[in-house]
Structures are given as C-alpha cells and as structure tokens.
C-alpha cells in the first residue's frame, strides 16, 4: 500500500472522498432518463435525437477515460478530477439552454462525457486501488462502486422532485451546482503518483503488453455488454413503463431501486472478489442478467414485476466494476491501473453508446422495445462465455502484480 503524502490523506479518507465523488457524478448522470420525455415533448424532438446525445455522452466518456486515467497515473487524480468536474457542471448548464439537436449533442454529449471521464470509475478506482492492500482491494473497489449506486438511488428522487417542482430546465441548473461540489472534494485525491508495480514500463509498453493478452480483450468485450445493458435499461426503462400505462413515478422508482439494490450487490461482489474467482463471479453476473431480462419479458407487466426486475438487476448492476477493475490490477499491476481500466472502460462505453442510441432507434422504427430487450439477452450470454476463459494469474514479469 502506498501511504498518502499528507497524514490526513489516509486510505480511508481517499475511499470516503472517492465514494462521495462517485455518488454525485453517477447519481446526476443516471437522471438522464427522467429528462427524456419532458425535453423531447417541449422541443418536439424524437426519442432517437435525445438518445443519440446520451449515446454520444457515453462514447466520449469512454474515449476520454484512458486519457483521463493516464493523466491521473502521471500527475495524480486531484487535478484531473477537479478539471473534469468543471466541464461536467458547464455541460449541465448548457444542456438546460440547448434548443437545437447540435447544441444538445455538444453539451449533454461532449462536455458531460468529458466530465464523466475524470469523475468516475477509471480515475477514482485507480487512486483507491493504489492506496489499498491487495487483500482489501476488491472490497474497497466494491465499496466505491456502491457509492455510485447510492447516488443513483439518492439523486434520482431528488431529480424527479426538481423536475416536478421547478421544471426540467431549472432542475438541470440545480444539478450542475451539485456536480460543482466535486471540485473541492478532489483535493482528498491529490496524492501525486509514485510508481509501484511495473515501474520500468512506459505507457506504450504497458498498452502493448495488455493488448497482447487475450484476457484483456475478454474483459473489454464483457464490459461492452455490461455497458449496452445498463445504458439501455437506465435510459429507456422509465419510458418503456410509461408506454405500458404505468406512471412516471413507477419508472423513477424502478431506476432508483436498481441503485438501492446495487449498493448491496456492489458490496457483495466486491467482497466476493477477494475470496473467490473474479472471472467466475463475472460469468455468474452476466448469466443471471440474461435470466432476469427473459423472465421480465415473459411475465405480465405490472408495478410489482417492474420493481422486482429492478431489484434483481440492481443486485447485478455494478458488481462488474470491482471485479473487472480488480482483475486489471491483479493481472497487470498498479503502475498503469487507471489507464488500463480506462481502456477496458472504453469497451463499456462503446456498448453504452449502442445501447442508448439503438434503443431509441428501434423504438422509433418499430414502436416497441422488444427487439432491444432480445439483443440484451443474447449479448448477456456472449459476455458470460467471454468471461469464462479469462486467465486470472498475474503476468510473469518483475513487479507484474501489486
């Protein structure tokens, strides 16, 4: 474990700050689905127009994550997180006044995507991983993931309340103020970076080494499926339920329940990753998601079935994060953990782009989300098959594992 350079920046303080940052960043990000209907109605946009901007956000988030991770690895996470928080808040503010699709793409898509790249998993998990002992690392990453889930649970009702009380435009401005709180919190993560494992490697060597390992590709494509499913469900589940005749509050509650139950799921899978095979737990998560979605599609839709589905998906939601990030650290070491997890996270965000955009496109073309749900089931089976052959052993090189 690397001790922090200042006595107050202990591993516990870093973990707490990381959890709060993820609570704010992921919580606000997950409110996007609440704005789909009011914004498209007021602007006269199609759902595909809205979905494309959120899909672009996910794509930019993923493309920028390796660079944000590399900056954090090189200069420390504090400045990276603070700068990203400013971009995030500006994006939300401009999103409130975007009255044309291009302006919406630039604000909700590009700026918020850049902000998310530096305030979420790649950077936060990297700095937490560097300051945690190997035997506690998976649990610490699970606790941090639970912070993001708590944000989803806590911020969604607040976002819905703001939209109802003040309108969607004012709600976005208030959420921008909340995101601004991340900047001062980033000071707790200003640890600098002292090399730990793989000290002799350059960035290029680390990337070539990882790219030559099949397990790295398996993690990438498994995360792709995770991104497709979570983005599609988060953005389109509320509208899917409203289309079926249920109230907007049922949809909001379903999304909040995903966050609530994922607090438990992230903690359990983070703890389990320290005791059992991480790849086998990934197989379990993806296979269970396929079953949960299939059952949801087959049984009659009601408030109860929607909430039960949300609870089941919540248990499985971000459990992939501590397991995937833990495997990167376990196999490749800590020296370039933020950058390498950022590359793997790019796979997640490519899937998120497709899930968010394709869901809207399929609905506009067919008037139904049925095909999109079917694709989500098939991809889940493929992700389980991709996770099974991952080689969890540290690479056979000096300092290959931390």
């Amino acid at each position: 474990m690397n001790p922090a350079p200042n006595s107050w920046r202990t591993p516990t303080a870093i973990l707490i700050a990381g959890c709060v940052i993820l609570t704010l960043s992921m919580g606000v990000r997950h409110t996007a689905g609440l704005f789909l209907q009011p914004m498209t109605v007021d602007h006269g946009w199609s759902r595909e127009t809205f979905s494309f901007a959120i899909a672009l956000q996910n794509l930019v988030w993923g493309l920028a994550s390796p660079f944000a991770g590399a900056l954090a690895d090189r200069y420390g996470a504090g400045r990276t997180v603070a700068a990203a928080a400013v971009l995030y808040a500006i994006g939300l503010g401009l999103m409130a006044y975007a009255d044309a699709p291009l302006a919406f793409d630039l604000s909700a898509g590009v700026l918020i995507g850049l902000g998310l790249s530096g305030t979420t998993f790649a950077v936060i998990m990297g700095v937490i991983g560097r300051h945690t002992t190997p035997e506690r690392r998976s649990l610490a990453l699970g606790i941090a993931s639970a912070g993001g889930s708590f944000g989803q649970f806590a911020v969604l009702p607040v976002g819905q309340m703001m939209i109802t009380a003040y309108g969607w435009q004012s709600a976005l401005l208030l959420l921008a103020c909340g995101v601004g709180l991340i900047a001062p919190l980033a000071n707790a993560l200003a640890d600098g970076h002292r090399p730990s494992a793989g000290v002799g490697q350059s960035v290029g060597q680390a990337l070539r080494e990882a790219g030559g390992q099949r397990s790295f590709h398996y993690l990438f494509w498994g995360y792709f499926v995770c991104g497709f499913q979570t983005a599609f469900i988060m953005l389109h589940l509320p509208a899917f339920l409203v289309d079926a005749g249920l109230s907007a509050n049922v949809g909001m509650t379903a999304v909040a329940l995903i966050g609530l139950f994922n607090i438990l799921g992230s903690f359990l899978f983070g703890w389990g990753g320290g005791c059992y095979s991480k790849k086998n737990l990934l197989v379990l998560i993806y296979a269970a998601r396929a079953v949960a979605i299939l059952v949801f599609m087959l049984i009659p839709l009601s408030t109860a079935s929607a909430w039960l589905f949300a609870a089941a998906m919540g248990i499985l939601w971000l459990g992939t994060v501590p397991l995937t990030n833990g495997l990167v650290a376990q196999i490749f070491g800590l020296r370039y953990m933020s950058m390498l997890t950022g590359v793997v996270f790019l796979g997640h965000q490519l899937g998120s782009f497709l899930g968010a955009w394709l869901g809207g496109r399929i609905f506009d073309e067919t008037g139904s989300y049925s095909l999109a749900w079917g694709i989500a089931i098939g991809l889940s089976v493929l992700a389980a098959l991709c996770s099974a052959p991952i080689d969890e052993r540290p690479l056979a090189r000096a300092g290959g594992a931390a």
Side-chain angles (χ1 to χ4, degrees):
M1 178 177 64
N2 291 331
N6 298 102
S7 60
W8 69 273
R9 290 190 181 99
T10 63
T12 300
I14 289 171
L15 178 59
I16 292 172
C19 286
V20 176
I21 290 170
L22 285 171
T23 294
L24 291 169
S25 182
M26 294 297 293
V28 171
R29 181 252 174 180
H30 279 121
T31 62
L34 304 179
F35 291 91
L36 187 152
Q37 288 195 316
M39 289 190 71
T40 54
V41 169
D42 284 359
H43 289 307
W45 295 341
S46 68
R47 290 190 185 182
E48 184 183 1
T49 298
F50 187 97
S51 299
F52 178 80
I54 304 303
L56 180 62
Q57 176 191 110
N58 288 321
L59 183 61
V60 172
W61 180 6
L63 289 171
S65 286
F67 298 98
L71 288 173
D73 284 334
R74 178 65 178 86
Y75 301 107
R79 293 177 180 176
T80 303
V81 173
V86 172
L87 291 175
Y88 196 162
I90 292 173
L92 285 166
L94 294 177
M95 180 178 167
Y97 295 100
D99 56 2
L102 178 59
F104 188 58
D105 291 341
L106 292 175
S107 56
V110 177
L111 284 176
I112 294 179
L114 290 172
L116 286 166
S117 72
T119 58
T120 51
F121 298 118
V123 174
I124 305 302
M125 295 301 195
V127 72
I128 290 173
R130 287 198 296 270
H131 290 271
T132 311
T133 58
E135 61 271 16
R136 295 179 179 270
R137 185 171 299 130
S138 184
L139 177 59
L141 296 177
I143 292 171
S145 297
S149 302
F150 178 75
Q152 180 178 336
F153 170 71
V155 177
L156 272 166
V158 175
Q160 185 65 61
M161 179 191 69
M162 289 177 178
I163 293 172
T164 302
Y166 308 114
W168 61 264
Q169 190 174 51
S170 296
L172 284 169
L173 297 176
L174 291 170
L175 290 173
C177 294
V179 166
L181 298 175
I182 292 175
L185 287 168
N187 188 43
L189 307 184
D191 63 331
H193 181 61
R194 291 171 302 285
S196 49
V199 63
Q201 283 187 313
S202 67
V203 170
Q205 288 172 332
L207 286 171
R208 286 191 294 273
E209 178 185 67
Q213 301 296 316
R214 286 183 295 178
S215 294
F216 193 74
H217 294 273
Y218 293 144
L219 288 169
F220 182 95
W221 290 111
Y223 233 10
F224 173 92
V225 173
C226 181
F228 181 96
Q229 293 172 332
T230 55
F232 167 69
I233 292 172
M234 190 58 56
L235 184 60
H236 295 285
L237 180 61
F240 171 78
L241 297 176
V242 170
D243 291 339
L246 302 177
S247 71
N249 280 333
V250 171
M252 180 276 295
T253 302
V255 175
L257 283 172
I258 291 175
L260 175 62
F261 279 87
N262 190 52
I263 297 172
L264 175 62
S266 293
F267 179 83
L268 286 177
F269 283 109
W271 169 81
C275 303
Y276 307 103
S277 165
K278 295 180 180 66
K279 72 167 184 179
N280 288 343
L281 291 174
L282 284 175
V283 172
L284 174 63
I285 287 174
Y286 290 124
R289 283 186 186 181
V291 173
I293 296 172
L294 180 61
V295 171
F296 182 53
M297 292 293 97
L298 293 177
I299 64 176
L301 182 61
S302 65
T303 298
S305 69
W307 289 353
L308 285 172
F309 171 71
M313 289 301 299
I315 293 290
L316 307 167
W317 197 249
L318 292 183
T320 57
V321 175
L323 298 175
T324 301
N325 285 273
L327 281 169
V328 171
Q330 181 173 311
I331 298 169
F332 300 101
L334 296 178
R335 177 64 182 94
Y336 292 106
M337 180 182 173
S338 290
M339 179 186 68
L340 293 178
T341 55
V343 174
V344 174
F345 188 69
L346 171 59
H348 187 283
Q349 294 311 101
L350 290 173
S352 295
F353 173 87
L354 192 62
W357 168 74
L358 192 61
R361 179 62 182 270
I362 287 174
F363 181 88
D364 286 345
E365 292 291 331
T366 67
S368 168
Y369 287 112
S370 296
L371 178 58
W373 287 113
I375 292 172
I377 293 170
L379 287 176
S380 210
V381 174
L382 289 177
L385 294 174
C386 278
S387 299
I390 292 172
D391 187 347
E392 298 180 284
R393 295 172 297 176
L395 289 183
R397 56 170 166 75

